[in-house]
Amino acid sequence: MTTRRGAIIATLGVSVFGLPRATIATPQMRDEAIAAITSGAPVGDGRVTLTIPGIAENGLSVYTTVAVDSPMTAADHVRAIHIIAEQNPIARLVTFRLGPRAGAAKVSTNIRLAASQHVTALAELSDGSFWRDAKPVVVTLAACVDGG
Amino acid sequence: MSLAIARVSMPAEARRGAVIDIKAIIRHPMETGYRPDSMGRRIPRHIIEQFWVTYGGTEVFGMDLTQGVAANPFFAFSILATETAELVFTWRDDRGEVFTVTKHLTVTE
């Protein structure tokens, strides 16, 4: 039976979030995104430093910096840095492609976060190894709501 | 045709071997494709998909973006000063529009 209350809730379920809830990424999608980048190679903890606010008042723009401990020489450098979310519509938010001519492995940008979650920074090194750092972020105003 | 405005901040001169900090920003909606308009129709996705930097004609830095990057995307990164040459910063969006900024870097010994 369709009640007025039910109809309102059903409408909210789509319009408040701007997209069906089912399209929000899950930690499984985060793991799949990481596996797609690493081809299943092991990922070490360390060498990567993710700097992101612990409380993000505005999920539409969260200033994020990733630094990797690397000499950035031709023999030993960072090839790529990925920022990965677990509660956004898509898991892989952005990829930076670096090389020895970047001089330093430190990058920043503003990302969108649809909900409070852990954000992961994943670095791909020239020796084929992968390293990561993850930080929890509490989002006060989520992206993907109306006006986002 | 576009109202997009791109800006790059970097030093004009650096010593050879120095790591220079670069900041780049472009005015762009980065429309996610998830938002409905006032009629409830989905607003089509419109995002910058790629950004790259060439230095003396060689690509030295690049990015692959998604709708997970905020509107008016801002990037900070670094480049190793190796030679006096032009740096060309290019943004390309998913409608095929390309925006470029060219900067000259003088490298001293």
Side-chain angles (χ1 to χ4, degrees), chain A residues 21-61:
Chain A
R21 290 289 285 158
T23 61
I24 291 281
T26 60
Q28 287 71 36
M29 283 169 69
R30 173 201 63 200
D31 294 342
E32 284 168 19
I34 292 173
I37 293 162
T38 63
S39 304
V43 179
D45 288 313
R47 294 193 67 165
V48 180
T49 306
L50 169 65
T51 307
I52 190 166
I55 298 175
E57 293 191 353
N58 182 0
L60 292 171
S61 181

Side-chain angles (χ1 to χ4, degrees), chain A residues 18 93 95 97 101-102 109 112, chain B residues 30 34 59 62 66 68 74 80:
Chain A
L93 304 183
T95 297
R97 290 178 275 109
R101 293 192 60 183
T109 192
R112 287 181 169 131
Chain B
M30 293 297 280
Y34 305 134
E59 186 172 327
T66 69
F74 167 86
L80 186 66

Side-chain angles (χ1 to χ4, degrees), chain A residues 118-131:
Chain A
H118 278 80
V119 174
T120 303
L122 178 69
E124 182 178 344
L125 271 55
S126 56
D127 64 2
S129 65
F130 292 91
W131 301 85

Side-chain angles (χ1 to χ4, degrees), chain B residues 27-48:
Chain B
R27 187 183 296 170
H28 197 281
M30 293 297 280
E31 185 61 60
T32 60
Y34 305 134
R35 291 194 308 150
D37 64 15
S38 56
M39 303 299 289
R41 292 175 301 227
R42 187 174 278 229
I43 303 170
R45 197 181 79 145
H46 184 204
I47 64 165
I48 298 279

